[in-house]
Structure formats: C-alpha cells, structure tokens
Amino acid sequence: MGSLSLQGVRKSFGDFEAIKGVDLDIPDGEFVVFVGPSGCGKSTLLRIIAGLEEHTTGHVLIDDRVVDVVPPAKRGIAMVFQTYALYPHLTARGNMELGLKQEGTPRAEISARVAEAARMLALEPLLDRRPSELSGGQRQRVAIGRAVVRKPRLFLFDEPLSNLDAGLRVNTRLEIARLRRLLKATIIYVTHDQVEAMTLADRIVVLNHGRIEQVGSPLELYRRPANLFVAGFIGSPKMNFVQGTEAETLDAHTIGIRPEHIETNLEIGHWQGEIAHIEHLGTDTYLYVDVPKIGTMTVRLDGEADYSLGSSIFLTPRRTHLHRFDASGQRIAA
Amino acid sequence: MKQAPILRMRRVAVHTVLGAYTLVAILPVLLIIMNSFKDRKSIFAQPLMPPDASSFSLIGYETVMRQGDFLGYFQNSLIVTVGSIFFILLFGAMAAFALTEYRFRGNIFLFLFLALGVMVPIRLGTVGILEMMAKSGLVNTLTALILVYTAQGLPLAVFVLSEFMRTVSDDLKNAGRIDGLSEYVVFFRLVLPVVRPAMATVAIFSMIPIWNDLWFPLILAPSESTKTITLGAQVFIGQFVTNWNAVLAALTLSITPVLILYVLFSRQLIRGITAGAVK
Ligand SMILES: Nc1ncnc2c1ncn2[C@@H]1O[C@H](COP(=O)(O)OP(=O)(O)O)[C@@H](O)[C@H]1O
Ligand SMILES: [Mg+2]
C-alpha cells in the first residue's frame, strides 16, 4: 500500500520544459526526499504526483495503477504545503474534518481519527481555534494533522519547514521523523535544504533543471556523488573543486575534496596558501585559504582551532577522499 | 532629525489638499440635504444656512410623496441596482476565476476581449440594444435595465477581480482539491472570501453609475411602472418652473441608499484600493 512509479514524465509550460523526463520507482513505506535548488521543478513534480498539474507525457502509477487522469482526491494522497494552506474560515478541527466529510466517512469514524491525530500532534487544546489564532508552528501541525487523518497511501510534503524560524524548524523536523515511524507510510518530501534531506531521507532524489541528477541514500550521495552538481550540492560547507594540471596528474578534468577531508600543517603539505578568512562556529572552525594558481579552498576543522588571519598554512587532501570527475562533469570510478 | 521639519511641512500640505478636496466633494451634498428641509423662500434667501425653527419645512418631501409613485420608483431603482450588482459580481468573479485559474486556448484573447469593454462606452450601442429589447419584448421591463447594466459593469469587474484572483494562494485552492472539493466549492468557499475587499470595490464603482443613470431608463423603460428614481425626479424639473423643494427632497432621498451602501462597504473598499500598495 503506497508505492509510486514515474515513467518518462515530462511537463512543459508553453515552450519551457520544467520536467525533462523523470523515471523513478518508490517502494511502499519509503521516505524519499526530492532536493534541488529553487526552480528546478521539485514542486511541479510533486504536483504532478498529486494530480494538481497535468503532465505532458509519461505515466504516474500509484500502487501499480495508472492515475494519469485520476483527480487528486481519488489518488489516495494527502499533501502538506509550504504556506500551510489552512482553510481560514474553519477551526483546526474543521480543517482536519473537511476531507473526510467529502469522502463520506461516518461521523463517529471522523471524530475518532481527528482525536487520534490531535493526540499524536499535541493539538488537543487547539482544536477549536481558527488558523488566524494559531502560531506558525501550530498551523503547520494542523496542516500535518489534516493530512494524517485521511490515512493516505502517499504523503506529499512541499517544503513544510521553510516558513518556520530556525528553532521551530528543528523541532518540526524531529516531529516529522517521529511521525514517520508511527505512520509507516510512504512519504515524498520536497526541500531545497540539504540538511533536511540528509537527516530525514531513506533515499534522496537530487533534481536539477527538471532532471534527476542522482538517486541514493544520504551517505551514498555524500561518499560517491555521481557528478559535479551533486558533489557541490550535498555537503556543507561545499566541496572544493580543483581543475588544471593538478587534476590532470590524476587523470581527471576536475578533482573534488570536501573541506573536512583536508589536513592542515604549518610546515609541510601539498598546497601552500594564506588564510584569507576564518569563521568560528564553536563546534567547527572554517578556514578560507587562498592557494596560488588554484583559488580559495575551504577547510573544516574540529573545535576551536587557533589560527591567525593572513598567516601561511599547508593543506594536504586525504588521498582516499578525493573525487575525480571527467570533462562532462561525471564521476570517474576509483 | 534634519528631515523632520520638511516631513512635517509635507504632512501639513497633504492634509490641506485632502481637506480642501473633501470640502469640495461634501459641500454640494450637504447643501442639497440642508435645503431639502427648508421652505421655498429660505432656500433662495439664505441657501447656505442650515434649517432653523422658522425655515424648517417638509413641503418638499410631501410633494414628492404625493406626486407620482415615488416609493415605486425607489423600489425600481433598488431592484435594478441590486440585481445588476449581483450579476456583475457573480459573473465577473466567475469569469475572472476561469481566466486566471485555467490555462486554455484563447485564454488571453478572451481576457482582452472582455477588458476591451472598459474602453468602449456601452451607450454607443444604444440603438442596437433598443432594437434587441424591442424584438425580445423586454422594453419597459426592469429585466432590460438589469441586462444592460450587467453588460456595462462586467468588463471592469473582470479586469479588477482577475488582478485579485491572481493573488489568491494556489496552495489553498490545491488543498481544497486534494480534500475533494469541487471547483465550484473551491471558488465559492475558498476564493471568494479572500477577494471580498475587491468585490466591495467593484460593487461601489459599478453601483453609482447604475443608480444615477438617466439614459437607459429613459430609453428602455420609461413607463410609469418601471421608472427609476432618477427618471422620476425629472418630473419636478420643468422647462419653465422647477419645484426646487421637491427636486432637493427627491435628490436627498436618492442619495441616501448610496450613502448607506458606501458606509457599509467603505472599510472593505479602502482595503481593496490599498491592497498591494500597502502590504
Ligand atoms: N504555472 C506555471 N507556468 C509557467 N511556469 C511555471 C509554472 N509553474 C512552475 N513554472 C516554472 O517551472 C520551474 C519549476 O518550478 P517549481 O517546480 O515551482 O520549482 P521548485 O523546485 O522551486 O519547486 C520554474 O522555472 C518555474 O518558473
Ligand atoms: Mg517549490
């Protein structure tokens, strides 16, 4: 109950092709995150799955049934939106009940399901309030409750955390992870935030310009990015890229090394550079080092490393953690 | 701090201009209302004075009530105005929703076609309209007026409401669709409440020309039973003698409903006008 399959899905808005052929299989019970920069087509793809947007070609299958022309309400899905999208004229309870009423669910069943969802999301004291009387975090919980009560085959989340402030975002993220264990449902979650993607997903789908760049578990993407785009997108701070003779000696067009995989030394090392900027985060220290002929390299050190601006430093990449890419940006297998 | 005096001067200037304009706009209305409660002699002797014990008189209102079926005219005006506004808002909002929500062939063409009406005065088509009404037997009916005014008001309504419909959150509509609401319910229950300020704005801007119109009532429905109040008030304006008491009383009576509706709508109206300008 709850598998999804996309087969050659394309979507054009006039002359502009927003989704350029997506093939994807999601088995029942998986938590999949679509991640990618703003405007890459994540929301469009999610709306196609929901049936809110018609795809131009290809097929969408939910539980092995083609749903290309099935209206959203009949697809067995529920969706949580970035802007919450609660009905302003209904109370929290009314918001959660509406979909079930439309389906013709018996009254007793509706109350039972709303009560259960409210307990799960700690919404009980808020049930009789209208959206305008709720805080952002509470609204988002009601929106999640509205999805939960429908017991859908597929949960769709479109950037549900991006309108919340930082602290609330972490809480709600934990809430979603907990909910996921309780519900054991298939979840498709869209975000542009790679931290959300890494922390929540069983599998991540990286999208760029309407194409899938790579599909894999968070650590697979971190360890073996399939191309330059994924390498640069997953991981924070960003991976360092080096081109030119340095890369050619390793039979590559570009080599990549993550900031946490660079050793520093004051006397000896592979590259010599000058510290251009230092960021102290407490748990980590980021050094931005200007290396002649190569550019600025970011280095991540544990704890409160003590370096002074402008001083000379030697950097040595860990050989085993080097990533090599060819001229078209594809990964060269080790 | 240096800018403060300049800012204050600017504020004084703005208030002076606005105050002056308010006076210019309100004075005639005040004059009409004041003088409608005076006898004929004092209207001409002291037109700018409010009625006092000696000059107070209801003669104008008595004349109006006696002459013709003034309540009937009033009722006709109300039926025509309210009916037209209802259809303008209903069809205008529906068209605006369809044009902004659905992508279909000819969408932009249709929008431009509808919006063109904002620039072409409907009176240019009077002869054709009269012929049409005559052929369909609608002359001297209120239906004829409602039809014409609905057509007259639709372009502006579609134009303004489309702009507002675009601002309604897609997520909200989509949430409704996922919950199984039909497009009609999405439109009536989710979208219309959000664009209510815009509807009030359109209602007021369409209402005033309809209420005040003399042209179409005179041409399409001049019979005694279908006269509107603007047409009815004309009986007191003669070529040689004008019964000013009656004219002023009739005018006062005909202003009142518009004023009441304006007060009812004005908060929504201001929100509608300033929406977008002030976020
Ligand atoms: N209704 C639409 N009409 C035209 N272009 C659209 C429409 N919806 C989305 N797009 C375009 O499709 C691309 C993908 O949009 P979207 O899926 O919203 O991106 P995101 O990954 O940020 O969610 C964007 O370039 C956007 O401009
Ligand atoms: Mg989006």
Side-chain angles (χ1 to χ4, degrees):
Chain A
M1 266 269 290
S3 68
L4 171 80
S5 175
L6 301 177
Q7 300 174 350
V9 170
R10 287 172 179 271
K11 170 74 192 176
S12 306
F13 294 108
D15 292 337
F16 173 71
E17 195 166 38
I19 303 293
K20 296 170 182 145
V22 165
D23 293 281
L24 183 67
D25 281 300
I26 297 174
D28 184 26
E30 199 171 48
F31 195 130
V32 173
V33 173
F34 291 176
V35 70
S38 199
C40 70
K42 307 177 296 286
S43 298
T44 305
L45 196 55
L46 201 66
R47 291 213 305 272
I48 288 172
I49 296 170
L52 296 166
E53 194 87 68
E54 259 177 81
H55 43 298
T56 318
T57 58
H59 298 292
V60 178
L61 289 81
I62 294 177
D63 281 337
D64 301 320
R65 185 172 69 111
V66 177
V67 293
D68 291 342
V69 292
V70 177
K74 301 257 158 66
R75 290 193 181 195
I77 52 143
M79 191 156 170
V80 177
F81 297 89
Q82 176 177 357
T83 56
Y84 323 132
L86 297 178
Y87 310 120
H89 60 293
L90 296 178
T91 60
R93 185 196 306 280
N95 267 278
M96 295 205 258
E97 285 175 347
L98 186 66
L100 294 175
K101 280 188 189 158
Q102 292 290 322
E103 280 176 0
T105 314
R107 280 231 133 263
E109 168 87 18
I110 295 182
S111 327
R113 286 209 213 167
V114 170
E116 190 191 340
R119 200 177 50 244
M120 207 189 286
L121 291 158
L123 285 172
E124 281 135 334
L126 309 175
L127 278 179
D128 292 315
R129 295 210 202 154
R130 284 177 194 250
S132 56
E133 299 160 339
L134 298 172
S135 72
Q138 291 169 338
R139 283 180 207 178
Q140 194 55 287
R141 295 218 306 278
V142 174
I144 294 173
R146 181 171 66 181
V148 167
V149 294
R150 306 209 35 211
K151 303 213 160 140
R153 289 190 272 244
L154 264 184
F155 277 98
L156 308 176
F157 287 84
D158 191 356
E159 309 216 10
L161 305 187
S162 56
N163 277 8
L164 301 177
D165 57 48
L168 217 49
R169 203 175 300 168
V170 175
N171 284 343
T172 315
R173 197 172 79 206
L174 293 173
E175 187 87 348
I176 290 173
R178 187 178 67 88
L179 207 65
R180 185 271 155 108
R181 285 193 296 275
L182 287 176
L183 295 172
K184 299 190 176 64
T186 314
I187 298 179
I188 302 177
Y189 184 106
V190 163
T191 178
H192 64 264
D193 183 296
Q194 52 116 357
V195 176
E196 266 170 51
M198 298 292 279
T199 51
L200 286 169
D202 294 331
R203 260 200 317 163
I204 296 179
V205 176
V206 183
L207 289 168
N208 190 28
H209 293 308
R211 281 205 183 81
I212 293 185
E213 296 278 352
Q214 189 174 3
V215 181
S217 74
L219 284 180
E220 265 167 44
L221 299 192
Y222 178 79
R223 290 185 189 140
R224 281 186 299 280
N227 51 46
L228 280 178
F229 178 80
V230 178
F233 194 79
I234 300 288
S236 168
K238 253 172 72 112
M239 186 186 280
N240 298 292
F241 294 114
V242 179
Q243 294 179 340
T245 50
E246 188 86 34
E248 276 154 24
T249 58
L250 289 167
D251 290 328
H253 182 266
T254 310
I255 55 172
I257 182 76
R258 294 199 185 276
E260 51 271 40
H261 297 147
I262 296 178
E263 313 271 2
T264 58
N265 193 299
L266 289 178
E267 277 109 36
I268 182 167
H270 189 70
W271 295 308
Q272 191 197 2
E274 187 180 290
I275 300 179
H277 186 63
I278 306 178
E279 286 175 351
H280 293 285
L281 278 78
T283 51
D284 300 303
T285 305
Y286 300 161
L287 303 182
Y288 298 87
V289 181
D290 281 336
V291 180
K293 291 198 219 122
I294 283 178
T296 304
M297 303 282 279
T298 314
V299 181
R300 173 177 175 171
L301 301 170
D302 278 344
E304 305 168 29
D306 199 13
Y307 286 94
S308 56
L309 215 58
S311 65
S312 162
I313 189 170
F314 286 89
L315 307 178
T316 311
R318 285 191 218 150
R319 290 278 149 194
T320 48
H321 288 86
L322 272 178
H323 304 267
R324 297 186 304 147
F325 302 95
D326 64 21
S328 62
Q330 297 303 308
R331 176 181 193 83
I332 303 172
Chain B
M1 274 332 279
K2 245 187 183 161
Q3 284 206 337
I6 298 177
L7 277 182
R8 196 174 313 137
M9 259 169 60
R10 194 179 295 167
R11 195 178 307 159
V12 169
V14 165
H15 278 87
T16 315
V17 171
L18 289 180
Y21 183 77
T22 310
L23 267 184
V24 170
I26 283 184
L27 261 185
V29 179
L30 268 185
L31 267 185
I32 290 172
I33 296 176
M34 261 162 37
N35 284 312
S36 74
F37 289 103
K38 299 197 309 205
D39 55 29
R40 187 177 176 81
K41 200 169 78 242
S42 29
I43 291 178
F44 286 102
Q46 294 165 315
L48 292 180
M49 297 302 284
D52 56 29
S54 64
S55 65
F56 181 83
S57 152
L58 286 176
I59 177 81
Y61 291 90
E62 280 160 21
T63 322
V64 167
M65 291 304 162
R66 243 183 297 114
Q67 184 111 25
D69 177 17
F70 211 80
L71 273 182
Y73 304 159
F74 213 90
Q75 199 183 334
N76 289 340
S77 267
L78 264 184
I79 291 173
V80 168
T81 307
V82 171
S84 308
I85 294 292
F86 175 79
F87 288 117
I88 289 173
L89 290 182
L90 180 71
F91 295 139
M94 286 172 109
F97 183 71
L99 287 169
T100 53
E101 185 67 17
Y102 309 122
R103 284 187 294 270
F104 54 89
R105 214 174 286 280
N107 180 316
I108 294 177
F109 172 77
L110 202 59
F111 178 75
L112 288 179
F113 175 71
L114 283 171
L116 201 67
V118 177
M119 286 163 273
V120 182
I122 194 168
R123 288 181 189 190
L124 288 182
T126 303
V127 176
I129 291 175
L130 181 58
E131 265 176 17
M132 243 188 321
M133 294 299 175
K135 279 193 187 132
S136 40
L138 288 174
V139 171
N140 278 329
T141 62
L142 297 180
T143 315
L145 290 179
I146 293 179
L147 285 176
V148 170
Y149 290 140
T150 305
Q152 170 186 310
L154 268 180
L156 185 73
V158 172
F159 201 67
V160 172
L161 291 177
S162 304
E163 240 10 83
F164 276 81
M165 297 270 178
R166 275 187 244 280
T167 65
V168 178
S169 146
D170 280 335
D171 286 356
L172 185 64
K173 291 176 277 194
N174 287 338
R177 290 182 182 127
I178 287 181
D179 273 344
L181 304 182
S182 70
E183 290 299 307
Y184 285 97
V185 181
V186 167
F187 172 70
F188 281 110
R189 299 293 299 278
L190 300 182
V191 174
L192 277 196
V194 179
V195 298
R196 209 167 43 200
M199 306 266 285
T201 312
V202 170
I204 290 194
F205 279 118
S206 321
M207 173 180 74
I208 293 168
I210 296 175
W211 183 268
N212 289 340
D213 191 37
L214 185 59
W215 182 263
F216 284 114
L218 194 59
I219 291 167
L220 296 179
S223 77
E224 183 60 25
S225 65
T226 56
K227 260 186 197 165
T228 60
I229 197 160
T230 348
L231 193 52
Q234 299 302 308
V235 299
F236 304 112
I237 302 183
Q239 194 174 355
F240 306 108
V241 194
T242 293
N243 185 340
W244 284 109
N245 291 94
V247 170
L248 290 174
L251 282 176
T252 303
L253 286 176
S254 69
I255 291 170
T256 317
V258 187
L259 274 184
I260 291 174
L261 282 179
Y262 180 81
V263 171
L264 286 181
F265 282 143
S266 63
R267 267 188 58 200
Q268 304 270 354
L269 174 76
I270 288 163
R271 233 191 293 160
I273 290 174
T274 53
V278 192
K279 190 85 205 231

